[in-house]
């Protein structure tokens, strides 16, 4: 089982009403939520941990998880409101306005951490859930507790506008979590935000030097690469007509995790030495799944049969 740990929220996506007026439509989302959904649809044993409201929007989140074969037994339910994010699209690129104060997700605390069964092989962390306390510290505490015995992966999915004024604290947390993680995924933009200018492969090896065994870098329409201490594998992106990029990286994360799980290498020992063929298969599934997601509006990851 792969347990995705992080934010669940409602994305308000721009649409046109039947009268032609601009409006927003609610969609279940959140970076880590999207990864859990994509894992379930790709056929992996997927579970999700987050603070989720018992309000109407929280019920939408829980029902959406269940509809995609995601185990919801680890949800920390409360009567606090649901986080809402309004999305603006410019040339297919998304920017966000978050409403997060006092929500079920943001107020998640350490006393709500679940005890995990032995079949929880890997934990995935990331997104805006790593920005604001108490939730951010709660997720870091869970990673610190489990990193010694289970595989952990992090994708910070950095939103500079969301972390304004908190950069130093946020950067320190991300660096600690990267050092504990077995697998790290970064977009090329995230990589440069963390390490500055430079050639992508060289910078990725710098992340490996911090502790992870495997680093995935997505390079937009070009494709994605996997970097270890001794390997640098690249797969070109599948060419599609882009509707928008919402959920693309989240789906890629699910694809690589599902592929590694299927190959039987989602263990701390196996990740030390991975064949090129396994890395190529992970990159292939990640990029192919992400291509389907970007070809349709909103974060709507593919089912395995669609590939």
């Amino acid at each position: 089982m792969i347990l995705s740990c992080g934010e669940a929220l409602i994305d308000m996506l721009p649409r046109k009403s039947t009268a032609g007026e601009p409006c927003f439509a609610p969609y279940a989302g959140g970076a880590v939520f999207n990864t859990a959904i994509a894992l379930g649809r790709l056929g992996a044993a997927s579970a999700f941990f987050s603070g989720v409201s018992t309000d109407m929007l929280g019920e939408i989140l829980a029902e959406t998880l269940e509809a995609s074969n995601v185990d919801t037994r680890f949800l920390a339910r409360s009567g606090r409101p649901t986080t809402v994010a309004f999305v603006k699209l410019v040339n297919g690129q998304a920017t966000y306005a978050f409403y997060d104060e006092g929500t079920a997700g943001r107020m998640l605390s350490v006393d709500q951490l679940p005890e995990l069964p032995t079949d929880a092989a890997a934990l995935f962390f990331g997104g805006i859930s790593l920005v604001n306390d108490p939730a951010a510290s709660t997720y870091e505490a869970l990673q610190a507790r489990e990193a010694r015995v289970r595989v952990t992966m992090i994708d910070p999915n950095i939103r500079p506008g969301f972390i304004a004024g908190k950069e130093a604290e946020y950067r320190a947390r991300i660096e600690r979590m990267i050092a504990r993680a077995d697998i790290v995924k970064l977009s090329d933009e995230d990589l440069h935000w963390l390490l500055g200018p430079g050639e992508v492969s060289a910078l990725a090896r710098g992340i490996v030097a911090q502790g992870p065994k495997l680093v995935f870098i997505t390079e937009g329409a070009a494709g994605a690469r996997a970097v270890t201490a001794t390997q640098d594998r690249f797969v070109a992106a599948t060419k599609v007509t882009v509707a928008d990029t919402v959920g693309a990286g989240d789906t890629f994360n699910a694809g690589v995790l599902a592929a590694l799980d299927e190959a039987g290498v989602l263990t701390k020992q196996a990740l030390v030495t991975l064949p090129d063929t396994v890395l190529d298969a992970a990159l292939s599934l990640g990029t192919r799944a992400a291509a389907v997601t970007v070809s349709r509006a909103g974060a709507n990851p593919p089912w395995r049969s669609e590939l």
Side-chain angles (χ1 to χ4, degrees):
M1 181 179 71
I2 301 169
L3 180 64
S4 300
C5 310
E7 77 272 14
L9 53 88
I10 296 295
D11 280 322
M12 300 298 288
L13 299 181
R15 296 291 182 264
K16 289 282 188 181
S17 73
T18 55
E21 300 167 316
C23 62
F24 287 90
Y27 288 82
V32 182
F33 178 94
N34 293 338
T35 294
I37 292 287
L39 279 164
R41 294 184 181 185
L42 289 174
S46 176
F48 185 61
F49 168 63
S50 184
V52 174
S53 178
T54 54
D55 66 12
M56 177 176 63
L57 298 179
E59 289 304 312
I60 292 174
L61 294 171
E63 291 167 2
T64 303
L65 289 164
E66 291 166 357
S68 292
N69 301 325
V70 179
D71 188 338
T72 59
R73 64 181 140 153
F74 302 109
L75 297 185
R77 305 299 297 269
S78 77
R80 296 180 181 275
T82 298
T83 300
V84 176
F86 284 84
V87 182
K88 180 180 181 180
L89 296 174
V90 178
N91 297 324
Q93 298 294 319
T95 57
Y96 301 83
F98 291 95
Y99 296 85
D100 192 40
E101 291 291 336
T103 61
R106 180 167 176 172
M107 301 309 291
L108 187 70
S109 58
V110 173
D111 61 3
Q112 294 174 291
L113 291 178
E115 291 301 320
L116 301 183
T118 55
D119 66 341
L123 284 75
F124 172 77
F125 300 88
I128 64 168
S129 59
L130 302 180
V131 178
N132 291 318
D133 280 330
S137 293
T138 299
Y139 289 118
E140 184 181 3
L142 179 60
Q143 190 216 22
R145 190 188 81 183
E146 300 295 335
R148 289 169 292 179
V149 295
R150 305 179 208 266
V151 170
T152 67
M153 174 176 173
I154 178 174
D155 172 12
N157 196 13
I158 297 164
R159 306 290 186 194
F162 195 70
I163 61 176
K166 308 170 187 176
E167 290 91 344
E169 178 184 0
Y170 173 76
R171 183 182 289 273
R173 174 177 291 114
I174 295 303
E175 289 176 352
R176 292 192 300 269
M177 294 186 74
I178 284 174
R180 294 189 198 102
D182 301 284
I183 307 170
V184 173
K185 180 267 184 166
L186 299 164
S187 68
D188 49 1
E189 291 179 348
D190 292 345
L191 182 64
H192 292 304
W193 189 91
L194 286 169
L195 297 184
E199 193 269 327
V200 167
S201 293
L203 293 177
R205 286 192 292 274
I207 297 293
V208 171
Q210 295 178 28
K213 303 175 184 71
L214 172 60
V215 174
F216 291 106
I217 305 295
T218 53
E219 301 179 32
R225 69 179 65 245
V227 178
T228 71
T230 59
Q231 297 155 287
D232 186 350
R233 308 296 296 178
F234 182 83
V235 168
T238 302
K239 301 303 180 183
V240 295
T241 299
V242 176
D244 64 53
T245 61
V246 178
D250 313 326
T251 304
F252 175 85
N253 291 333
V256 297
L257 279 169
L260 293 173
D261 188 41
E262 291 168 10
V265 298
L266 208 51
T267 68
K268 298 183 81 67
Q269 182 177 3
L271 287 173
V272 174
T273 306
L274 294 172
D276 289 349
T277 53
V278 169
L279 294 178
D280 292 349
L283 289 168
S284 175
L285 184 56
T287 53
R288 286 186 292 120
V292 176
T293 297
V294 302
S295 71
R296 50 200 189 191
N300 184 11
W303 294 85
R304 193 59 174 262
S305 59
E306 295 181 86
L307 301 181

